[in-house]
Amino acid sequence: MVELSAMSFSFEVIKEIPERLGRAGVISTPHGQISTPAFIPVGTKASVKSLAPEALSDLGAQAVLANAYHLYLQPGSETLDQAGGLGKFMNWDKPTFTDSGGFQVMSLGAGFKKVIDMSLGSLDSDEAMAESKERLAHVDDEGVTFKSHLDGSMHRFTPEVSMQVQHQIGADIIFAFDELTTLHNTRKYQEQSLERTRLWAIRCLDEHKRLTDQRSDKPYQALFGVLQGAQYEDLRRKAAKDLSEMKSSGISFDGFGIGGALDKASLGQIVSWMSSELPSDKPRHLLGIGEPADLFAGVENGADTFDCVAPSREARTSAVYSENGRFNVSSASYKRDFSPIDKTCSCYTCSNFTRAYLNHLFRAKEMLASTLATIHNLAFTVRLVDRMRQAILDESFLEFKTEFLARYQAKAMD
Ligand SMILES: [Zn+2]
């Protein structure tokens, strides 16, 4: 098993940012390589909304991340298994990721809407909210019971179920099942949750080993442990240390996912706490992060890959990105603006269409509006992280960061 893993999944650091934890590298999977740092577009239900895989490939995407929770409910992970795995099913021949389903189980499951708040807001103490108020009643030490957001049917995810579902889906990189907490949980609850996630991580390794042996005819799937700990330095460092030293059934994690509640203001610091505890020869994925300033903070502090629904989700609401910041292309001021969304962008949309045309498509509610805006926002985000990689190789990362953010943040969002 160890030999197989070493043969079909590996990570190599090529260059580091001097006096920082960031690096450029290459992840190798059975479906090809990912040059890191890299932004990975999200194809929640085995589809990046409004894009055919060819468009995704053309805009520079190196991999796709799908959601185990959604695919488990629809069409069912057995269907993907029979199809030959996620990549074959969606006709995407490059690397794939699935998340564990934990995030969706706990954020879409019955009873809690919008509990995942990425900012601390007015909270000034971790005791600011009563423990009973945000307590996720469906979580117990064995797993999570949840109600399908599609038809209300009851389901149960345990670490073992998550591994079974992710093996059937068959992505190259899969994640351990973790408990999601929010910044509003109390410190005491974060500690209990971290311990529960640690015990679940051991169970994930055991089940992953069993399934890998049982399904030895399938391409090797790399398992990443997920690190929680909210905004607490000691908990974040403990999670990183525990999971990097963890060994069970003779195997350890192939990489790590940095997850959970993150106060965006201290994102870089949180990533740096964890990166300094994690082994440098294993890749680190920052879950659910995609805003330019956050991507710079993540890369600078040692994150290798990122995924986020924001670029494609915002595109569908006509919010598009440019070197000079984000703007709403459907607003009246672009009605007769015959320039591309971003003059410096060479994507299919910017090479062929004007702001005026996109403005018209959005106002006329044409489906092509979503497609063209999604192509641009994903191309922009993928290329931004590709440029960070090049800047690391050229030893100019910090200069590039300062220069890019000064321009990007100069204009107020409209
Ligand atoms: Zn573009």
Side-chain angles (χ1 to χ4, degrees):
M1 221 310 290
V2 174
E3 291 77 7
L4 178 62
S5 154
M7 272 193 318
S8 45
F9 182 84
S10 64
F11 176 63
E12 187 192 355
V13 174
I14 290 171
K15 184 122 184 166
E16 295 173 325
I17 304 172
E19 291 165 42
R20 295 291 193 281
L21 294 156
R23 65 267 182 95
V26 178
I27 296 171
S28 298
T29 79
H31 291 91
Q33 296 188 323
I34 304 168
S35 297
T36 65
F39 179 80
I40 314 299
V42 178
T44 303
K45 304 174 188 175
S47 150
V48 175
K49 289 193 194 343
S50 84
L51 294 196
E54 287 72 15
L56 198 58
S57 191
D58 288 349
L59 66 83
Q62 301 186 70
V64 170
L65 181 143
N67 297 123
Y69 164 86
H70 286 100
L71 294 173
Y72 158 80
L73 289 177
Q74 186 183 49
S77 41
E78 307 82 6
T79 302
L80 279 94
D81 198 13
Q82 282 175 27
L86 173 63
K88 274 229 171 76
F89 188 51
M90 66 182 286
N91 191 33
W92 173 259
D93 60 8
K94 292 176 182 165
T96 48
F97 295 58
T98 45
D99 66 8
S100 69
F103 183 90
Q104 283 77 22
V105 161
M106 284 169 248
S107 60
L108 295 175
F112 13 8
K113 281 197 174 140
K114 302 289 164 216
V115 290
I116 304 117
D117 193 336
M118 290 307 217
S119 84
L120 276 167
S122 58
L123 286 185
D124 54 8
S125 147
D126 56 43
E127 304 295 335
M129 280 184 75
E131 198 166 343
S132 60
K133 256 192 152 179
E134 80 283 0
R135 187 73 170 76
L136 308 184
H138 310 74
V139 181
D140 58 60
D141 286 342
E142 284 302 304
V144 183
T145 303
F146 62 98
K147 202 183 247 187
S148 161
H149 73 291
L150 295 176
D151 61 9
S153 56
M154 296 304 293
H155 298 265
R156 188 163 167 79
F157 260 37
T158 62
E160 290 77 15
V161 170
S162 174
M163 288 298 100
Q164 289 154 15
V165 166
Q166 291 189 83
H167 271 261
Q168 286 188 318
I169 295 171
D172 297 300
I173 294 173
I174 65 177
F175 289 91
F177 191 64
D178 60 311
E179 184 189 355
L180 173 74
T181 62
T182 82
L183 292 173
H184 300 308
N185 284 114
T186 60
R187 160 85 195 196
K188 191 166 160 249
Y189 190 81
Q190 301 288 4
E191 287 173 13
Q192 291 166 350
S193 169
L194 201 68
E195 177 60 9
R196 177 147 51 213
T197 291
R198 191 185 71 81
L199 296 172
W200 286 1
I202 297 170
R203 287 166 55 186
C204 285
L205 283 174
D206 293 341
E207 184 66 3
H208 176 62
K209 165 70 173 154
R210 190 185 73 78
L211 291 165
T212 302
D213 290 349
Q214 189 188 79
R215 298 163 58 93
S216 56
D217 56 321
K218 311 275 184 196
Y220 180 75
Q221 296 179 270
L223 176 61
F224 284 24
V226 177
L227 312 173
Q228 295 282 357
Q231 69 272 41
Y232 301 103
E233 179 172 0
D234 59 336
L235 299 186
R236 285 283 178 185
R237 286 187 184 274
K238 181 182 187 304
K241 213 167 177 304
D242 284 348
L243 269 71
S244 52
E245 289 169 358
M246 188 174 283
K247 203 162 191 179
S248 196
S249 298
I251 61 165
S252 50
F253 289 110
D254 297 296
F256 302 93
I258 298 174
L262 290 165
D263 176 16
K264 289 241 197 163
S266 46
L267 176 74
Q269 195 176 41
I270 290 172
V271 175
S272 81
W273 295 333
M274 309 194 102
S275 294
S276 55
E277 303 289 342
L278 291 169
S280 60
D281 61 351
K282 290 189 175 178
R284 306 162 191 153
H285 181 88
L286 188 49
L287 287 149
I289 295 295
E291 292 292 324
D294 299 333
L295 292 169
F296 275 107
V299 168
E300 180 173 343
N301 291 288
D304 302 301
T305 49
F306 303 83
D307 76 274
C308 190
V309 294
S312 44
R313 182 176 287 165
E314 290 180 358
R316 297 195 300 279
T317 69
S318 72
V320 293
Y321 308 156
S322 86
E323 291 278 305
N324 298 308
R326 194 176 70 167
F327 64 94
N328 196 321
V329 76
S330 67
S331 65
S333 51
Y334 302 110
K335 193 169 181 218
R336 291 191 188 146
D337 183 338
F338 298 102
S339 62
I341 296 173
D342 185 339
K343 285 189 194 72
T344 69
C345 181
S346 57
C347 83
Y348 171 75
T349 303
C350 292
S351 306
N352 295 287
F353 304 97
T354 62
R355 295 175 176 189
Y357 184 60
L358 268 97
N359 180 283
H360 159 66
L361 291 179
F362 274 108
R363 286 171 172 250
K365 299 190 165 42
E366 284 291 328
M367 285 191 286
L368 187 58
S370 292
T371 301
L372 295 181
T374 301
I375 287 174
H376 168 74
N377 277 5
L378 284 177
F380 181 92
T381 309
V382 164
R383 191 170 63 110
L384 175 61
V385 181
D386 288 351
R387 287 160 77 193
M388 293 184 203
R389 181 178 205 271
Q390 191 57 48
I392 295 172
L393 298 177
D394 296 342
E395 300 182 356
S396 61
F397 176 82
L398 297 176
E399 293 90 322
F400 175 55
K401 175 187 157 190
T402 306
E403 176 212 310
F404 181 92
L405 290 179
R407 215 175 329 116
Y408 190 81
Q409 295 173 333
K411 179 176 167 286
M413 287 178 191
D414 54 23

